[in-house]
Amino acid sequence: TSTRVYRKVWKMLNSIWSFLLLFAIVKCCVIFDESAYSSIHSRNTREINTNCGPNDTIPPNRVNTTEQLRIVRKEMESANITILIVPLDEVGRLLWVSGFSGSNGQAAITQEEARLWTDGRYFIQAADQLDCNWEMMKIGTDDSLEKWISQAGAGNIAGADPNIVGAGDWLDWEKVLEEGGVELVTVDNLIDNVWTEDNGRPTPEFKEIVIHEMEFAGEDWEEKINRVRENLVENKFFGMIVTELDEIAWLFNLRGEGKSHREGLYHSPTFQSMSIVTSQEILLWVHPSKVSEELTNHLNRPDCQSKHTCVTIKNIETSLQDISYWVHEQDSLETLLVTKPSNYLSGANYAVYKTIPEAYRALGDSPILDMKAIKNEVETAGMVEAHIRDAVALCDWAAMMEEQLEVLGAENWTEISAADRLAEYREEQPDNKGLSFGTISAFGPNGAIIHYSPTPDTDAKITRSSMFMVDSGGQYLDGTTDVTRTFHYGEP
């Protein structure tokens, strides 16, 4: 009997407790009355899409683009287009016209508006860098670039440079724009007409082309060509056009070294190039000034005629004309594979795609993409060795920084000086070829900015008061590293 009474009391207490909990939740979930909310309680926050709110403080890294837009819009009038599409490219045209330096972005410019699309990694950065001429569009939330342009309505003409737009992207844009009555046309690069060395354009500079030795590659380039040819035959392709720079470097066991004005090559051991591979022929387009006797011999061995592995080297500046001529010279041309976009790469550009007659082209996945992703034993061992040497550099640097700030009480270290010193430690390691990407050296609040890159205007002093995040890596002949570490030199 006492047990039954106990259970009843316990059940009643549980009911009372549940009622009180529900009552508390309801009391907390009151409806917000905007009219009763005084402005004095509001926070001063940046309107991140326009970044031009009345309470904004102009960030030190914001760029005034008024003049750039003015002269570009004059070019648009001359080209008879109402909308200019500016994709991200390796030269930095998007950076020049917008001030945005992130690694993912594209813009649309009209006579009245300028909008830039980027992803969540760069919302804060774009809000800082874009001036009041621009509005940021959030990829995945706002209308896409092509959707926004399509809403301009019939009679509008959008133009873009086909040499810097992937064929897959172009065809997608064309379809969406056509539904809105907007025409998409190819134009010369209008930014090139007005962005010159006189107003800050970098002087053209191209990387040297060097041989990537077998001790690091682990497979002869002729064997790689044979594997590609086998795949093309299996899939009934006459040949393929190789346009991705990393695929060309891997396929021919070549690397780019030195400096380049092309932004995408700053930390990548690639070089400007293009190639055609068929069962009987290989063509490679590069800058003629970078063709050495050693390179020619590497690509044309004594027995290459019998193996059909002799490489015809041509001038990259005339690649489109050469491809057109080559296509029309073929007696029995069949379908050529033209690579479509992958996760991080845009595939063959639209200019290349259009150069090949419709009957002889097909967009598809590059077989080289998978081949180079599967590492051989030499490459696998090299990646391990590269990481060991890189770890030595990183640990030596970390120990030095701890001694400087924790033991010696140094107060002169900044984000940039720390990153520069880390680069020096890496350069001391065998087979190092520089950084694998620009070091993300971020102290305090800067660490919350994804892909933050310090500049002289934002270069924060490193102290013992906050966290210091470093995302960095090195290029080595036998591997590439990317390591993120967080430090605190005081009491967290």
Side-chain angles (χ1 to χ4, degrees):
T1 302
S2 60
T3 301
R4 287 199 299 269
V5 172
Y6 175 79
R7 286 177 178 173
K8 287 181 180 180
V9 172
W10 179 251
K11 186 176 180 180
M12 181 178 66
L13 290 174
N14 273 335
S15 299
I16 294 172
W17 171 251
S18 299
F19 172 78
L20 292 173
L21 180 62
L22 180 61
F23 179 77
I25 293 174
V26 171
K27 286 288 291 181
C28 290
C29 297
V30 296
I31 299 174
F32 175 71
D33 182 1
E34 185 175 3
S35 63
Y37 189 73
S38 171
S39 62
I40 63 172
H41 297 108
S42 63
R43 296 173 58 196
N44 293 331
T45 58
R46 170 166 303 140
E47 167 42 70
I48 200 168
N49 274 54
T50 63
N51 68 68
C52 286
N55 298 314
D56 278 0
T57 299
I58 297 177
N61 56 340
R62 181 169 291 181
V63 179
N64 186 337
T65 61
T66 302
E67 179 61 15
Q68 291 93 308
L69 289 170
R70 184 189 67 80
I71 57 179
V72 166
R73 283 167 172 152
K74 287 185 64 176
E75 292 294 316
M76 292 168 59
E77 290 179 353
S78 300
N80 195 33
I81 62 172
T82 56
I83 304 164
L84 176 65
I85 301 174
V86 185
L88 188 74
D89 67 75
E90 296 171 333
V91 177
R93 298 178 181 93
L94 182 63
L95 170 61
W96 177 80
V97 76
S98 70
F100 175 69
S101 63
S103 65
N104 184 21
Q106 53 189 357
I109 300 171
T110 72
Q111 290 298 331
E112 295 80 27
E113 294 185 81
R115 299 199 179 198
L116 180 135
W117 281 257
T118 190
D119 64 60
R121 294 172 298 169
Y122 297 109
F123 289 166
I124 297 175
Q125 178 179 330
D128 281 351
Q129 292 181 324
L130 298 176
D131 70 359
C132 300
N133 292 302
W134 289 84
E135 182 170 346
M136 183 179 68
M137 303 290 282
K138 301 175 183 177
I139 294 176
T141 301
D142 297 325
D143 286 338
S144 64
L145 175 138
E146 60 269 32
K147 180 68 174 178
W148 183 80
I149 293 175
S150 71
Q151 294 167 0
N156 280 279
I157 302 174
D161 178 359
N163 293 285
I164 58 175
V165 178
D169 288 339
W170 188 285
L171 297 174
D172 290 341
W173 293 352
E174 196 170 46
K175 181 179 179 180
V176 176
L177 267 59
E178 185 179 357
E179 293 173 354
V182 179
E183 184 181 1
L184 179 61
V185 300
T186 62
V187 294
D188 293 334
N189 199 293
L190 303 187
I191 290 179
D192 287 353
N193 295 343
V194 293
W195 183 35
T196 66
E197 292 182 37
D198 292 336
N199 57 9
R201 190 180 185 118
T203 302
E205 191 174 11
F206 303 100
K207 291 193 173 186
E208 302 296 328
I209 304 175
V210 300
I211 296 170
H212 194 55
E213 301 293 348
M214 276 288 291
E215 64 176 299
F216 303 115
E219 182 181 12
D220 192 88
W221 72 265
E222 291 178 320
E223 295 174 4
K224 296 177 181 180
I225 287 287
N226 289 334
R227 287 206 283 146
V228 171
R229 284 172 165 168
E230 289 173 4
N231 183 280
L232 294 173
V233 170
E234 289 175 7
N235 290 280
K236 298 180 173 54
F237 287 118
F238 179 84
M240 73 173 291
I241 297 184
V242 190
T243 57
E244 303 296 2
L245 305 186
D246 60 323
E247 294 186 2
I248 291 174
W250 177 87
L251 181 62
F252 292 102
N253 285 349
L254 299 172
R255 294 294 186 268
E257 283 191 359
K259 296 181 179 180
S260 169
H261 74 284
R262 299 172 68 84
E263 184 178 88
L265 306 184
Y266 280 172
H267 303 293
S268 299
T270 55
F271 49 94
Q272 194 177 4
S273 53
M274 189 183 302
S275 179
I276 287 180
V277 178
T278 73
S279 60
Q280 302 292 314
E281 194 173 6
I282 307 171
L283 292 84
L284 176 65
W285 285 267
V286 296
H287 286 283
S289 62
K290 303 304 177 184
V291 178
S292 63
E293 182 178 356
E294 185 181 20
L295 174 64
T296 302
N297 293 337
H298 172 73
L299 297 175
N300 292 276
R301 293 169 180 169
D303 58 348
C304 70
Q305 291 285 353
S306 61
K307 295 180 178 179
H308 302 293
T309 56
C310 298
V311 178
T312 301
I313 302 175
K314 304 181 79 67
N315 187 347
I316 188 70
E317 299 295 339
T318 60
S319 56
L320 290 180
Q321 300 94 304
D322 293 341
I323 291 172
S324 179
Y325 179 79
W326 178 85
V327 166
H328 289 93
E329 285 291 299
Q330 301 303 307
D331 293 328
S332 56
L333 181 64
E334 297 177 23
T335 306
L336 283 171
L337 172 63
V338 183
T339 54
K340 67 181 185 181
S342 57
N343 284 342
Y344 291 99
L345 300 171
S346 59
N349 66 51
Y350 187 65
V352 169
Y353 178 80
K354 284 290 288 183
T355 301
I356 304 166
E358 185 175 358
Y360 301 112
R361 70 190 182 211
L363 274 179
D365 294 321
S366 168
I368 303 173
L369 191 65
D370 289 337
M371 290 179 186
K372 72 181 185 67
I374 302 173
K375 306 301 181 185
N376 59 47
E377 292 183 359
V378 172
E379 290 173 315
T380 303
M383 292 172 70
V384 173
E385 291 299 319
H387 268 277
I388 291 173
R389 296 196 303 279
D390 193 71
V392 171
L394 187 59
C395 289
D396 285 347
W397 171 84
M400 181 275 299
M401 289 294 293
E402 285 186 5
E403 181 182 28
Q404 285 283 305
L405 279 97
E406 294 183 14
V407 179
L408 302 178
E411 298 180 352
N412 60 328
W413 287 97
T414 69
E415 294 168 333
I416 292 178
S417 63
D420 288 345
R421 188 69 185 92
L422 176 55
E424 292 172 1
Y425 273 93
R426 282 195 164 100
E427 288 172 0
E428 295 170 2
Q429 294 300 314
D431 297 328
N432 178 263
K433 295 298 177 180
L435 302 179
S436 57
F437 57 95
T439 299
I440 301 172
S441 175
F443 181 77
N446 290 339
I449 303 174
I450 307 173
H451 282 204
Y452 168 79
S453 180
T455 67
D457 292 325
T458 65
D459 189 22
K461 179 178 288 188
I462 300 170
T463 69
R464 302 180 64 179
S465 65
S466 190
M467 308 290 283
F468 178 39
M469 190 275 290
V470 180
D471 184 357
S472 65
Q475 289 283 12
Y476 299 86
L477 289 177
D478 48 357
T480 302
T481 68
D482 181 346
V483 186
T484 303
R485 293 292 181 267
T486 304
F487 305 91
H488 199 298
Y489 303 112
E491 292 294 327

